[in-house]
Amino acid sequence: MMKRIGMLTILLAFACGLVWAGDAAKMPAGNSPMAAMKDAMMKCYVCKNVASKFDEIGPIGMEAVQLNDGVEFRHWVVSNDPKKVAAFHSACNACSAAGQETVNWTDDRAKTDLCEFCQGLRAAAKAGAHISQGSTKNADVSVWTSSDAAVQAQLSGLQKKCELMASSMQAPAGKTSAEK
């Protein structure tokens, strides 16, 4: 279990920014969506490892695909700039270390120190979701599946949150690094 969660904490950091999607309606007038998302991510023990490097990484593309028994999450660096890619991978490593620490936390601590989205991913993992993860030069891909209908429902809810967030982000001009 610890290895599974540890391997996938990279996903947690990027996907957890999606907590913003649920908080968008509460956002004060005048705040940009990205600033609000960064503020929310900085409050999460795992997500802050990415949020603190947003300026170094630049825009991150994301996609969440509903599968017949789960969901696939893909996040990528929009730029091919080696410095941005290095910052992306550094953030992934920091998130992995932070995520591994959360495995031994109590559920009460997870509720106070993790964002809602990270809590959802952690709950799906603890409920037995099968998680496969891989990285490319500029991207991170995670596939979360389960034969349990209740876990599939949890994963479907997380996919919908990702889809909402992705639709609110401006699409980059031209092909992304993940599409090349």
Side-chain angles (χ1 to χ4, degrees), residues 62-125:
M62 64 182 199
E63 175 181 54
V65 178
Q66 186 71 47
L67 305 174
N68 63 325
D69 61 351
V71 63
E72 179 244 7
F73 299 106
R74 183 169 54 107
H75 298 86
W76 62 90
V77 179
V78 174
S79 172
N80 286 316
D81 179 338
K83 289 180 181 178
K84 292 180 184 288
V85 172
F88 174 83
H89 288 299
S90 174
C92 290
N93 292 336
C95 287
S96 179
Q100 287 177 18
E101 290 177 37
T102 68
V103 173
N104 297 318
W105 287 7
T106 64
D107 288 344
D108 286 339
R109 181 170 181 200
K111 287 177 185 175
T112 60
D113 292 358
L114 296 176
C115 68
E116 180 182 336
F117 199 84
C118 283
Q119 290 175 45
L121 289 171
R122 183 176 182 267

Side-chain angles (χ1 to χ4, degrees), residues 37-180:
M37 182 175 70
K38 183 177 179 180
D39 288 345
M41 290 176 72
M42 288 299 291
K43 295 174 185 168
C44 176
Y45 187 78
V46 176
C47 293
K48 70 182 177 183
N49 293 289
V50 172
S52 65
K53 293 192 176 200
F54 268 171
D55 293 336
E56 294 173 58
I57 297 170
I60 297 172
M62 64 182 199
E63 175 181 54
V65 178
Q66 186 71 47
L67 305 174
N68 63 325
D69 61 351
V71 63
E72 179 244 7
F73 299 106
R74 183 169 54 107
H75 298 86
W76 62 90
V77 179
V78 174
S79 172
N80 286 316
D81 179 338
K83 289 180 181 178
K84 292 180 184 288
V85 172
F88 174 83
H89 288 299
S90 174
C92 290
N93 292 336
C95 287
S96 179
Q100 287 177 18
E101 290 177 37
T102 68
V103 173
N104 297 318
W105 287 7
T106 64
D107 288 344
D108 286 339
R109 181 170 181 200
K111 287 177 185 175
T112 60
D113 292 358
L114 296 176
C115 68
E116 180 182 336
F117 199 84
C118 283
Q119 290 175 45
L121 289 171
R122 183 176 182 267
K126 288 180 79 171
H130 175 76
I131 307 158
S132 297
Q133 191 271 334
S135 295
T136 69
K137 178 182 174 187
N138 292 8
D140 173 71
V141 179
S142 293
V143 178
W144 294 60
T145 60
S146 178
S147 58
D148 182 327
V151 177
Q152 289 174 2
Q154 286 177 292
L155 296 171
S156 179
L158 294 169
Q159 185 274 337
K160 286 176 178 47
K161 285 183 180 183
C162 283
E163 193 174 76
L164 177 63
M165 180 62 182
S167 70
S168 72
M169 296 172 70
Q170 182 177 1
K175 289 186 176 182
T176 66
S177 58
E179 297 172 323
K180 291 181 181 175

